[in-house]
Amino acid sequence: MTLYEDDALLVDEAGLTVKSYGRPGSQRAFSFEEIQGAELIDLEFGTGKYRLVGISPGRLRTFFHWDRARASKPVAISLNIGKRLRRAISPRDPHRVLEIIEAKLTAGR
């Protein structure tokens, strides 16, 4: 069952699927079991707002998925998947996605 979907992201009962991860059309899935935590991060000039994909100079430990629309978004979600490099996703409604992630993580503990 789909819990949330937009141009960049699909969230279902199993986890998150980033529709364009490293390049347009390349998908990457994160199960709720592998996500250890999530938080909102502000997007500003040096911290990922204008980064199409990859690591931003202001957030050297965060990988941003491919998103042409990120420049129009004020916040993203940083995912802790238990690795040194965090993953940032920028859904259209980050507050709703974070709410879903937190509910799933709480239910799984």
Side-chain angles (χ1 to χ4, degrees):
M1 178 172 110
T2 300
L3 304 174
Y4 175 88
E5 185 170 14
D6 65 22
D7 296 344
L9 185 68
L10 170 71
V11 182
D12 60 20
E13 292 293 335
L16 317 172
T17 301
V18 181
K19 295 179 181 179
S20 292
Y21 189 67
R23 63 188 187 325
S26 66
Q27 293 187 349
R28 169 70 159 88
F30 297 97
S31 69
F32 287 117
E33 287 81 28
E34 94 183 279
I35 298 172
Q36 297 177 5
E39 64 182 350
L40 288 178
I41 56 173
D42 291 326
L43 293 176
E44 298 172 358
F45 178 75
T47 60
K49 187 169 194 80
Y50 300 102
R51 173 64 61 187
L52 283 178
V53 67
I55 297 172
S56 176
R59 294 195 189 278
L60 295 175
R61 294 185 56 202
T62 303
F63 178 86
F64 289 85
H65 73 94
W66 176 271
D67 186 357
R68 292 179 316 177
R70 187 174 293 114
S72 66
K73 299 174 181 177
V75 296
I77 299 172
S78 176
L79 299 175
N80 176 356
I81 57 168
K83 299 188 180 196
R84 187 174 188 280
L85 191 63
R86 296 175 74 91
R87 304 314 194 267
I89 58 172
S90 48
R92 193 175 309 134
D93 187 352
H95 298 281
R96 175 70 182 125
V97 174
L98 184 61
E99 181 182 289
I100 294 168
I101 293 170
E102 288 175 342
K104 290 294 187 179
L105 294 182
T106 302
R109 291 186 178 141

